[in-house]
């Protein structure tokens, strides 16, 4: 019997440290594993995008473009892969199409091979431009379906999304389960349904391990026809991270499928990260398996943040109420998947509803979301909520693609960047500035000092996070979000941080 080979994407260089240690791993702690990663036989190595770009300039004083070039050089035989937030790129707002085009072009030139493109609302209009740009650059465009659970999300719905992605001409489709909600049976059903309709489409499955059930889900996905599976080397796995690469390979033994990875190379990668991981211990959360999320639908990161914020503000008795409010807010806004930035937007609105009365005050972000400025949700938005949002903000509900309202902005961004001390004149630097307009100027100025060894206490880390919360840039998408809520004479600070993995 010939065994069918399943391609494996190694997550150690991006999502694993984003999920386990607040995206803090420095390039110098990853380069030592690259030779082994390159000869292990992975289909790809995810190594860029997501929160790494932000982390590089905000915390590590590293040039993210240099990091990409380094990985490309050290991984000559392995596809490099990144996570891209559609029209938001790696920033926190929608960008004009000319910026999207330039970003993708530059990422491709600097060494990116596979672009996994997703949108928090699963609105295909927010993916289309980035996917076109990837195709234009001759690289691999992977369209993404964010998995969530709600009364309006069923298999037909996911297949319809897959069809829309196929019609855009994507090279593959990823089913992305950022909250470890994807149980084995739905994993099998969704992959089988997509494969039935488009047998030649390459299907990738990305799961976190938070709930403890997803190694089985990966297996069921393989059995149902999935071609590519995401895992992380064992010493960088489990908890809020991902299933271990070595375990996945062993699971396949004798099944007619194989991962075909070089075990000796895997050992080397494992040992490397086992050695460097303790350096980042202060960024790791104490974590046990969490299955409550199946009931609450609230991602772990979002939950602990809501709780600690409410407790810190003397409103700890409101936690249960807020948790009950979250599903209501989600229903009223058309069941967005809870991923950055929608998890923060929904969570913060739930806090507002509990502290100030239902729909008495809306956050600007929540109002924008229900008015269509992030795109369209799968479910219907409550008309009463739309009306209140319009009244409060003076904005109209829109039905067009949000970026259609943004005029080309490249020339302006370049002109602004050119005024900055330390700006090096490249398009890459303009993009860094475009993505993080508050942090980039500081980074440009300090860049010559080289990578910093970030050594912080938990208090310093929290202070930094609050500072980061103030850096919302311009436009509609903002994370993390911090609000001051005054009730009587007491001011509560409510901050909701990213839960996206
Ligand atoms: Co992830």
């Amino acid at each position: 019997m010939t065994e069918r080979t399943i391609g494996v994407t190694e997550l150690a260089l991006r999502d694993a440290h984003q999920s386990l240690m607040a995206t803090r791993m420095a390039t110098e702690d990853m380069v030592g594993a690259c030779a082994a990663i390159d000869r292990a036989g992975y289909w790809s190595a995810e190594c860029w995008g997501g929160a790494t770009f932000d982390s590089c300039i905000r915390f590590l004083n590293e040039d993210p473009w240099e990091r990409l070039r380094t990985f490309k050089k050290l991984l000559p035989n392995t596809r490099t892969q990144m996570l891209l937030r559609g029209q938001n790129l790696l920033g926190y707002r929608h960008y004009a199409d000319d910026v999207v085009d330039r970003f993708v072009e530059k990422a491709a030139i600097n060494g990116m091979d596979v672009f996994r493109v997703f949108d928090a609302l699963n609105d295909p209009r927010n993916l289309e431009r980035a996917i076109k740009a990837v195709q234009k650059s001759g690289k691999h465009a992977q369209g993404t379906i964010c998995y969530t659970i709600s009364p309006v999300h069923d298999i037909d719905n996911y297949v319809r999304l897959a069809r829309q992605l196929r019609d855009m001409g994507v090279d593959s489709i990823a089913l992305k389960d950022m909250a470890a909600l994807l149980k084995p049976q739905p994993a099998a059903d969704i992959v089988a349904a997509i494969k039935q309709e488009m047998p030649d489409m390459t299907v990738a499955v990305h799961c976190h391990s938070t709930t403890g059930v997803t190694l089985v889900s990966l297996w069921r996905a393989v059995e149902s026809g999935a071609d590519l599976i995401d895992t992380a080397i064992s010493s960088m796995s489990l908890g809020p991270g991902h299933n271990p690469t070595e375990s996945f390979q062993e699971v396949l033994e004798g099944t007619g499928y194989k991962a075909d990875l070089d075990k000796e190379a895997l050992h080397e990668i494992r040992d490397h990260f086992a050695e460097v991981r303790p350096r980042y211990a202060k960024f790791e959360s104490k974590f046990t398996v969490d299955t409550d999320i199946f009931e609450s639908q609230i991602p772990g990161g979002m939950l602990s943040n809501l709780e600690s914020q409410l407790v810190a503000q003397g409103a700890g008795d409101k936690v249960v109420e807020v948790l009950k409010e979250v599903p209501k807010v989600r229903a009223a806004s058309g069941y967005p998947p809870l991923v950055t930035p929608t998890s923060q937007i929904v969570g913060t609105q739930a806090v507002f509803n509990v502290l100030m009365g239902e729909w008495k005050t809306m956050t600007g972000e929540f109002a924008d979301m229900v008015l269509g400025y992030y795109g369209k949700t799968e479910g219907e938005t409550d008309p009463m909520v739309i009306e209140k949002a319009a009244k409060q903000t003076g904005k109209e509900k829109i039905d067009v693609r949000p970026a259609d309202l943004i005029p080309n902005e490249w020339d302006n961004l370049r002109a602004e960047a050119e005024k900055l001390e330390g700006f090096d004149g490249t398009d890459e630097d303009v993009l860094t500035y475009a993505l993080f307009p508050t942090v980039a100027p500081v980074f440009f100025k300090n860049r010559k000092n080289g990578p910093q060894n970030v050594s912080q206490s938990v208090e310093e880390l929290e202070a930094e996070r609050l500072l980061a919360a103030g850096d919302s840039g311009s436009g509609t998408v903002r994370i993390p979000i911090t609000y001051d809520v005054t009730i009587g004479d007491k001011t509560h600070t409510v901050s909701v941080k990213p839960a996206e993995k």
Side-chain angles (χ1 to χ4, degrees):
M1 186 179 68
T2 18
E3 290 181 307
R4 181 167 175 245
T5 300
I6 302 301
V8 175
T9 293
E10 174 59 53
L11 302 169
L13 304 176
R14 201 286 295 181
D15 202 357
H17 70 95
Q18 178 169 333
S19 304
L20 296 173
M21 49 196 70
T23 333
R24 292 311 181 87
M25 197 168 276
T27 303
E28 62 165 309
D29 283 331
M30 296 189 270
V31 291
C34 285
I37 290 174
D38 198 42
R39 68 166 201 277
Y42 289 110
W43 186 83
S44 68
E46 194 202 36
C47 59
W48 210 60
T52 60
F53 198 107
D54 188 353
S55 181
C56 272
I57 62 166
R58 193 185 300 276
F59 302 121
L60 303 172
N61 206 41
E62 271 190 36
D63 193 320
W65 297 98
E66 188 57 41
R67 174 182 285 195
L68 172 56
R69 289 188 289 269
T70 301
F71 281 141
K72 186 62 193 173
K73 201 160 58 192
L74 298 177
L75 300 166
N77 304 303
T78 308
R79 294 176 191 86
T80 53
Q81 183 171 324
M82 75 172 295
L83 182 68
L84 188 67
R85 279 198 289 272
Q87 203 74 25
N88 301 342
L89 301 173
L90 303 175
Y92 301 135
R93 67 170 174 98
H94 283 255
Y95 287 92
D97 288 337
D98 64 342
V99 178
V100 172
D101 291 348
R102 194 74 61 121
F103 178 87
V104 170
E105 182 199 333
K106 288 293 161 186
I109 288 172
N110 282 279
M112 188 46 59
D113 298 316
V114 181
F115 293 74
R116 176 175 289 169
V117 188
F118 84 101
D119 175 63
L121 297 185
N122 277 338
D123 183 343
R125 300 171 308 167
N126 291 337
L127 302 175
E128 205 160 10
R129 187 72 182 209
I131 285 172
K132 273 209 185 88
V134 175
Q135 290 163 335
K136 210 173 143 199
S137 70
K139 302 296 183 176
H140 184 114
Q142 186 172 80
T144 304
I145 298 168
C146 293
Y147 178 73
T148 190
I149 300 173
S150 88
V152 298
H153 288 86
D154 57 16
I155 290 177
D156 290 347
N157 175 284
Y158 292 120
V159 172
R160 200 190 64 230
L161 264 165
R163 215 176 283 141
Q164 287 167 321
L165 292 169
R166 178 200 57 196
D167 293 346
M168 287 180 204
V170 296
D171 298 292
S172 60
I173 290 175
L175 180 60
K176 174 179 159 73
D177 170 33
M178 51 281 169
L181 286 170
L182 182 62
K183 289 181 183 176
Q185 195 57 46
D189 293 342
I190 294 168
V191 171
I194 294 173
K195 277 289 184 176
Q196 194 185 0
E197 178 144 341
M198 41 193 100
D200 298 332
M201 178 60 75
T202 299
V203 175
V205 180
H206 174 86
C207 284
H208 284 254
S209 52
T210 327
T211 54
V213 308
T214 58
L215 182 58
V216 186
S217 311
L218 292 181
W219 159 240
R220 294 296 312 279
V222 166
E223 237 186 348
S224 306
D227 307 276
L228 305 173
I229 293 295
D230 286 16
T231 59
I233 199 74
S234 58
S235 53
M236 290 286 284
S237 72
L238 297 176
H242 314 83
N243 294 288
T245 305
E246 302 94 310
S247 309
F248 176 70
Q249 167 144 284
E250 298 294 342
V251 162
L252 297 187
E253 194 172 315
T255 62
Y257 301 91
K258 61 175 176 177
D260 210 14
L261 298 170
D262 178 329
K263 287 192 183 176
E264 213 170 307
L266 294 186
H267 285 160
E268 208 177 299
I269 303 162
R270 175 196 66 193
D271 293 347
H272 170 85
F273 285 107
E275 198 182 313
V276 301
R277 184 169 172 173
R279 293 179 201 163
Y280 298 90
K282 59 182 166 293
F283 300 114
E284 297 205 35
S285 60
K286 287 192 204 78
F287 187 88
T288 50
V289 172
D290 177 9
T291 53
D292 288 350
I293 181 174
F294 289 123
E295 316 307 324
S296 69
Q297 304 289 308
I298 299 168
M302 179 179 165
L303 178 67
S304 57
N305 190 250
L306 282 174
E307 276 177 348
S308 62
Q309 288 295 335
L310 286 165
V311 168
Q313 298 307 319
D317 57 329
K318 305 282 192 208
V319 169
V320 176
E321 261 181 274
V322 169
L323 296 188
K324 282 195 181 135
E325 187 65 20
V326 167
K328 287 194 219 165
V329 172
R330 191 166 171 241
S333 52
Y335 294 104
L338 295 181
V339 59
T340 298
T342 45
S343 50
Q344 296 91 289
I345 294 170
V346 168
T348 310
Q349 187 58 46
V351 170
F352 273 41
N353 280 5
V354 167
L355 294 182
M356 288 181 271
E358 209 146 74
W359 309 120
K360 283 269 157 36
T361 304
M362 272 181 210
T363 69
E365 289 79 8
F366 186 80
D368 278 347
M369 185 171 78
V370 297
L371 292 172
Y373 289 89
Y374 290 81
K376 59 172 188 281
T377 49
E378 196 56 48
E380 294 298 317
T381 304
D382 184 337
M384 177 272 293
V385 169
I386 295 175
E387 199 188 309
K388 286 198 171 173
K391 211 162 155 194
Q392 189 189 306
T393 58
K395 288 183 182 174
E396 277 174 37
K397 175 151 183 5
I398 60 164
D399 294 307
V400 296
R401 183 185 72 124
D404 286 346
L405 303 175
I406 308 172
N408 281 346
E409 53 184 337
W410 177 261
D411 293 341
N412 285 343
L413 287 165
R414 174 166 269 285
E416 285 171 26
E418 272 168 3
K419 292 182 208 137
L420 300 172
E421 186 188 334
F423 171 67
D424 71 3
T426 62
D427 284 354
E428 285 81 351
D429 258 16
V430 177
L431 288 161
T432 301
Y433 169 70
L435 294 173
F436 300 99
T438 314
V439 185
V442 182
F443 167 68
F444 292 157
K445 215 182 288 180
N446 297 332
R447 176 163 43 192
K448 58 183 178 300
N449 301 331
Q452 304 292 301
N453 268 328
V454 182
S455 176
Q456 290 170 307
S457 65
V458 175
E459 290 73 24
E460 282 170 322
L461 179 63
E462 268 316 304
E464 224 172 49
R465 280 190 175 135
L466 281 174
L467 193 71
D471 174 43
S472 55
S474 54
T476 49
V477 182
R478 301 171 182 193
I479 67 161
I481 300 169
T482 302
Y483 291 95
D484 287 328
V485 182
T486 307
I487 301 163
D489 56 355
K490 193 154 187 250
T491 299
H492 303 266
T493 300
V494 181
S495 166
V496 186
K497 73 184 177 200
E500 177 215 330
K501 297 291 165 57

Tab-separated table of all heavy atoms in Angstrom, residues 385-419:
chain	number	residue	atom	x	y	z
A	385	VAL	N	-29.974	47.860	17.272
A	385	VAL	CA	-28.571	48.150	17.581
A	385	VAL	C	-27.957	49.015	16.478
A	385	VAL	O	-27.218	49.967	16.749
A	385	VAL	CB	-27.790	46.831	17.776
A	385	VAL	CG1	-26.291	47.079	17.842
A	385	VAL	CG2	-28.269	46.118	19.031
A	386	ILE	N	-28.312	48.711	15.236
A	386	ILE	CA	-27.812	49.518	14.111
A	386	ILE	C	-28.296	50.960	14.245
A	386	ILE	O	-27.522	51.914	14.101
A	386	ILE	CB	-28.284	48.931	12.759
A	386	ILE	CG1	-27.661	47.547	12.537
A	386	ILE	CG2	-27.946	49.868	11.601
A	386	ILE	CD1	-28.149	46.826	11.304
A	387	GLU	N	-29.571	51.105	14.575
A	387	GLU	CA	-30.153	52.437	14.694
A	387	GLU	C	-29.455	53.236	15.790
A	387	GLU	O	-29.107	54.408	15.608
A	387	GLU	CB	-31.644	52.282	14.992
A	387	GLU	CG	-32.455	53.525	14.698
A	387	GLU	CD	-33.891	53.375	15.197
A	387	GLU	OE1	-34.527	52.347	14.864
A	387	GLU	OE2	-34.348	54.273	15.930
A	388	LYS	N	-29.234	52.574	16.933
A	388	LYS	CA	-28.567	53.274	18.034
A	388	LYS	C	-27.132	53.646	17.677
A	388	LYS	O	-26.638	54.713	18.045
A	388	LYS	CB	-28.584	52.409	19.300
A	388	LYS	CG	-29.943	52.361	19.933
A	388	LYS	CD	-29.898	51.902	21.377
A	388	LYS	CE	-31.274	52.109	21.990
A	388	LYS	NZ	-31.379	51.555	23.334
A	389	ALA	N	-26.457	52.736	16.973
A	389	ALA	CA	-25.066	53.000	16.587
A	389	ALA	C	-25.005	54.197	15.639
A	389	ALA	O	-24.130	55.063	15.761
A	389	ALA	CB	-24.467	51.767	15.925
A	390	ALA	N	-25.955	54.261	14.715
A	390	ALA	CA	-25.981	55.371	13.750
A	390	ALA	C	-26.252	56.689	14.466
A	390	ALA	O	-25.618	57.706	14.189
A	390	ALA	CB	-27.047	55.105	12.687
A	391	LYS	N	-27.169	56.626	15.403
A	391	LYS	CA	-27.542	57.825	16.139
A	391	LYS	C	-26.365	58.324	16.984
A	391	LYS	O	-26.052	59.508	17.004
A	391	LYS	CB	-28.727	57.487	17.050
A	391	LYS	CG	-29.659	58.651	17.297
A	391	LYS	CD	-30.974	58.120	17.813
A	391	LYS	CE	-31.709	59.180	18.628
A	391	LYS	NZ	-32.796	58.565	19.394
A	392	GLN	N	-25.711	57.389	17.654
A	392	GLN	CA	-24.629	57.780	18.562
A	392	GLN	C	-23.415	58.335	17.809
A	392	GLN	O	-22.751	59.250	18.265
A	392	GLN	CB	-24.212	56.575	19.414
A	392	GLN	CG	-23.238	56.953	20.523
A	392	GLN	CD	-22.665	55.728	21.210
A	392	GLN	OE1	-23.416	54.876	21.686
A	392	GLN	NE2	-21.352	55.641	21.268
A	393	THR	N	-23.120	57.751	16.645
A	393	THR	CA	-21.891	58.151	15.954
A	393	THR	C	-22.133	59.163	14.843
A	393	THR	O	-21.189	59.784	14.364
A	393	THR	CB	-21.240	56.916	15.288
A	393	THR	OG1	-22.179	56.338	14.377
A	393	THR	CG2	-20.825	55.888	16.315
A	394	GLY	N	-23.387	59.302	14.417
A	394	GLY	CA	-23.666	60.173	13.278
A	394	GLY	C	-23.205	59.577	11.957
A	394	GLY	O	-23.164	60.245	10.937
A	395	LYS	N	-22.818	58.291	11.981
A	395	LYS	CA	-22.375	57.628	10.750
A	395	LYS	C	-23.513	56.821	10.147
A	395	LYS	O	-24.413	56.374	10.845
A	395	LYS	CB	-21.230	56.658	11.051
A	395	LYS	CG	-19.902	57.307	11.389
A	395	LYS	CD	-18.883	56.190	11.571
A	395	LYS	CE	-17.518	56.732	11.963
A	395	LYS	NZ	-16.586	55.634	12.271
A	396	GLU	N	-23.398	56.602	8.845
A	396	GLU	CA	-24.399	55.785	8.174
A	396	GLU	C	-23.942	54.341	8.091
A	396	GLU	O	-22.753	54.066	8.067
A	396	GLU	CB	-24.569	56.279	6.737
A	396	GLU	CG	-25.496	57.457	6.580
A	396	GLU	CD	-25.488	57.962	5.146
A	396	GLU	OE1	-25.402	57.115	4.220
A	396	GLU	OE2	-25.560	59.188	4.977
A	397	LYS	N	-24.921	53.445	8.009
A	397	LYS	CA	-24.568	52.048	7.774
A	397	LYS	C	-24.060	51.919	6.341
A	397	LYS	O	-24.626	52.504	5.424
A	397	LYS	CB	-25.794	51.160	7.965
A	397	LYS	CG	-25.532	49.715	7.614
A	397	LYS	CD	-26.409	48.787	8.403
A	397	LYS	CE	-26.160	47.315	8.167
A	397	LYS	NZ	-25.069	46.900	7.325
A	398	ILE	N	-22.970	51.181	6.164
A	398	ILE	CA	-22.462	50.993	4.804
A	398	ILE	C	-22.607	49.535	4.382
A	398	ILE	O	-22.585	48.627	5.212
A	398	ILE	CB	-20.977	51.421	4.660
A	398	ILE	CG1	-20.069	50.603	5.600
A	398	ILE	CG2	-20.815	52.911	4.895
A	398	ILE	CD1	-18.596	50.684	5.246
A	399	ASP	N	-22.760	49.326	3.102
A	399	ASP	CA	-22.835	47.963	2.567
A	399	ASP	C	-21.693	47.674	1.616
A	399	ASP	O	-21.517	46.546	1.174
A	399	ASP	CB	-24.172	47.750	1.848
A	399	ASP	CG	-25.341	47.818	2.827
A	399	ASP	OD1	-25.289	47.087	3.838
A	399	ASP	OD2	-26.274	48.610	2.599
A	400	VAL	N	-20.906	48.705	1.289
A	400	VAL	CA	-19.777	48.482	0.380
A	400	VAL	C	-18.624	47.849	1.153
A	400	VAL	O	-18.628	47.809	2.385
A	400	VAL	CB	-19.268	49.808	-0.244
A	400	VAL	CG1	-20.352	50.418	-1.114
A	400	VAL	CG2	-18.805	50.781	0.840
A	401	ARG	N	-17.623	47.371	0.434
A	401	ARG	CA	-16.396	46.901	1.056
A	401	ARG	C	-15.756	48.097	1.789
A	401	ARG	O	-15.575	49.160	1.188
A	401	ARG	CB	-15.457	46.385	-0.039
A	401	ARG	CG	-14.151	45.802	0.451
A	401	ARG	CD	-13.276	45.441	-0.738
A	401	ARG	NE	-12.741	46.633	-1.383
A	401	ARG	CZ	-11.445	46.871	-1.582
A	401	ARG	NH1	-10.549	45.988	-1.229
A	401	ARG	NH2	-11.048	47.974	-2.167
A	402	PRO	N	-15.416	47.928	3.069
A	402	PRO	CA	-14.906	49.089	3.827
A	402	PRO	C	-13.754	49.818	3.131
A	402	PRO	O	-13.706	51.048	3.123
A	402	PRO	CB	-14.446	48.471	5.152
A	402	PRO	CG	-15.282	47.249	5.301
A	402	PRO	CD	-15.541	46.734	3.920
A	403	ALA	N	-12.834	49.077	2.516
A	403	ALA	CA	-11.676	49.727	1.896
A	403	ALA	C	-12.048	50.546	0.666
A	403	ALA	O	-11.258	51.380	0.215
A	403	ALA	CB	-10.615	48.687	1.537
A	404	ASP	N	-13.267	50.342	0.128
A	404	ASP	CA	-13.703	51.172	-1.000
A	404	ASP	C	-13.809	52.640	-0.602
A	404	ASP	O	-13.807	53.522	-1.456
A	404	ASP	CB	-15.064	50.696	-1.523
A	404	ASP	CG	-14.951	49.396	-2.305
A	404	ASP	OD1	-13.815	49.022	-2.666
A	404	ASP	OD2	-15.985	48.750	-2.535
A	405	LEU	N	-13.912	52.868	0.696
A	405	LEU	CA	-14.052	54.240	1.173
A	405	LEU	C	-12.697	54.881	1.478
A	405	LEU	O	-12.629	56.033	1.887
A	405	LEU	CB	-14.930	54.265	2.433
A	405	LEU	CG	-16.329	53.648	2.277
A	405	LEU	CD1	-17.058	53.621	3.609
A	405	LEU	CD2	-17.134	54.418	1.238
A	406	ILE	N	-11.621	54.112	1.318
A	406	ILE	CA	-10.295	54.651	1.642
A	406	ILE	C	-9.548	54.979	0.350
A	406	ILE	O	-9.213	54.078	-0.419
A	406	ILE	CB	-9.464	53.636	2.460
A	406	ILE	CG1	-10.263	53.153	3.685
A	406	ILE	CG2	-8.138	54.258	2.904
A	406	ILE	CD1	-9.598	52.019	4.428
A	407	PRO	N	-9.275	56.262	0.112
A	407	PRO	CA	-8.527	56.617	-1.101
A	407	PRO	C	-7.079	56.149	-0.991
A	407	PRO	O	-6.569	55.945	0.120
A	407	PRO	CB	-8.599	58.144	-1.143
A	407	PRO	CG	-9.029	58.581	0.207
A	407	PRO	CD	-9.631	57.408	0.924
A	408	ASN	N	-6.428	55.983	-2.135
A	408	ASN	CA	-5.020	55.576	-2.119
A	408	ASN	C	-4.219	56.454	-1.162
A	408	ASN	O	-4.424	57.658	-1.089
A	408	ASN	CB	-4.429	55.666	-3.522
A	408	ASN	CG	-4.849	54.457	-4.356
A	408	ASN	OD1	-5.345	53.461	-3.808
A	408	ASN	ND2	-4.646	54.538	-5.657
A	409	GLU	N	-3.322	55.847	-0.439
A	409	GLU	CA	-2.650	56.601	0.618
A	409	GLU	C	-1.135	56.418	0.628
A	409	GLU	O	-0.446	56.916	1.519
A	409	GLU	CB	-3.244	56.233	1.979
A	409	GLU	CG	-3.270	54.730	2.261
A	409	GLU	CD	-3.965	54.385	3.584
A	409	GLU	OE1	-4.038	55.238	4.468
A	409	GLU	OE2	-4.416	53.229	3.724
A	410	TRP	N	-0.613	55.672	-0.352
A	410	TRP	CA	0.819	55.380	-0.338
A	410	TRP	C	1.679	56.646	-0.348
A	410	TRP	O	2.607	56.780	0.449
A	410	TRP	CB	1.199	54.476	-1.515
A	410	TRP	CG	2.670	54.229	-1.547
A	410	TRP	CD1	3.601	54.855	-2.323
A	410	TRP	CD2	3.396	53.343	-0.694
A	410	TRP	NE1	4.858	54.406	-2.026
A	410	TRP	CE2	4.758	53.463	-1.022
A	410	TRP	CE3	3.015	52.447	0.319
A	410	TRP	CZ2	5.754	52.736	-0.381
A	410	TRP	CZ3	4.014	51.714	0.955
A	410	TRP	CH2	5.360	51.870	0.593
A	411	ASP	N	1.361	57.576	-1.262
A	411	ASP	CA	2.200	58.765	-1.398
A	411	ASP	C	2.224	59.595	-0.110
A	411	ASP	O	3.278	60.087	0.304
A	411	ASP	CB	1.719	59.631	-2.569
A	411	ASP	CG	1.929	58.911	-3.896
A	411	ASP	OD1	2.744	57.958	-3.930
A	411	ASP	OD2	1.270	59.281	-4.891
A	412	ASN	N	1.064	59.707	0.525
A	412	ASN	CA	1.011	60.438	1.796
A	412	ASN	C	1.839	59.761	2.867
A	412	ASN	O	2.564	60.412	3.626
A	412	ASN	CB	-0.430	60.530	2.308
A	412	ASN	CG	-1.234	61.539	1.526
A	412	ASN	OD1	-0.661	62.387	0.829
A	412	ASN	ND2	-2.549	61.448	1.613
A	413	LEU	N	1.724	58.427	2.914
A	413	LEU	CA	2.458	57.692	3.941
A	413	LEU	C	3.963	57.850	3.733
A	413	LEU	O	4.719	58.022	4.688
A	413	LEU	CB	2.058	56.213	3.917
A	413	LEU	CG	0.651	55.920	4.467
A	413	LEU	CD1	0.193	54.519	4.068
A	413	LEU	CD2	0.613	56.072	5.993
A	414	ARG	N	4.386	57.810	2.475
A	414	ARG	CA	5.814	57.983	2.202
A	414	ARG	C	6.275	59.392	2.618
A	414	ARG	O	7.309	59.552	3.258
A	414	ARG	CB	6.158	57.723	0.729
A	414	ARG	CG	7.611	58.045	0.401
A	414	ARG	CD	8.086	57.504	-0.929
A	414	ARG	NE	8.673	56.175	-0.861
A	414	ARG	CZ	9.889	55.891	-0.376
A	414	ARG	NH1	10.652	56.840	0.140
A	414	ARG	NH2	10.343	54.657	-0.369
A	415	ALA	N	5.464	60.382	2.275
A	415	ALA	CA	5.825	61.762	2.630
A	415	ALA	C	5.957	61.911	4.147
A	415	ALA	O	6.885	62.559	4.647
A	415	ALA	CB	4.781	62.727	2.084
A	416	GLU	N	5.051	61.291	4.876
A	416	GLU	CA	5.114	61.366	6.344
A	416	GLU	C	6.348	60.634	6.866
A	416	GLU	O	7.046	61.119	7.753
A	416	GLU	CB	3.858	60.747	6.965
A	416	GLU	CG	2.618	61.613	6.847
A	416	GLU	CD	1.356	60.881	7.283
A	416	GLU	OE1	1.451	59.941	8.108
A	416	GLU	OE2	0.271	61.238	6.776
A	417	ALA	N	6.614	59.456	6.299
A	417	ALA	CA	7.751	58.649	6.774
A	417	ALA	C	9.074	59.372	6.526
A	417	ALA	O	10.006	59.279	7.334
A	417	ALA	CB	7.750	57.284	6.089
A	418	GLU	N	9.116	60.108	5.413
A	418	GLU	CA	10.375	60.776	5.069
A	418	GLU	C	10.791	61.835	6.076
A	418	GLU	O	11.959	62.211	6.145
A	418	GLU	CB	10.280	61.361	3.646
A	418	GLU	CG	10.707	60.313	2.629
A	418	GLU	CD	10.397	60.665	1.191
A	418	GLU	OE1	9.878	61.773	0.938
A	418	GLU	OE2	10.671	59.813	0.320
A	419	LYS	N	9.849	62.291	6.866
A	419	LYS	CA	10.177	63.298	7.881
A	419	LYS	C	10.782	62.682	9.138
A	419	LYS	O	11.210	63.395	10.047
A	419	LYS	CB	8.907	64.059	8.280
A	419	LYS	CG	8.355	64.930	7.164
A	419	LYS	CD	7.137	65.695	7.652
A	419	LYS	CE	6.193	66.009	6.502
A	419	LYS	NZ	4.790	65.796	6.851
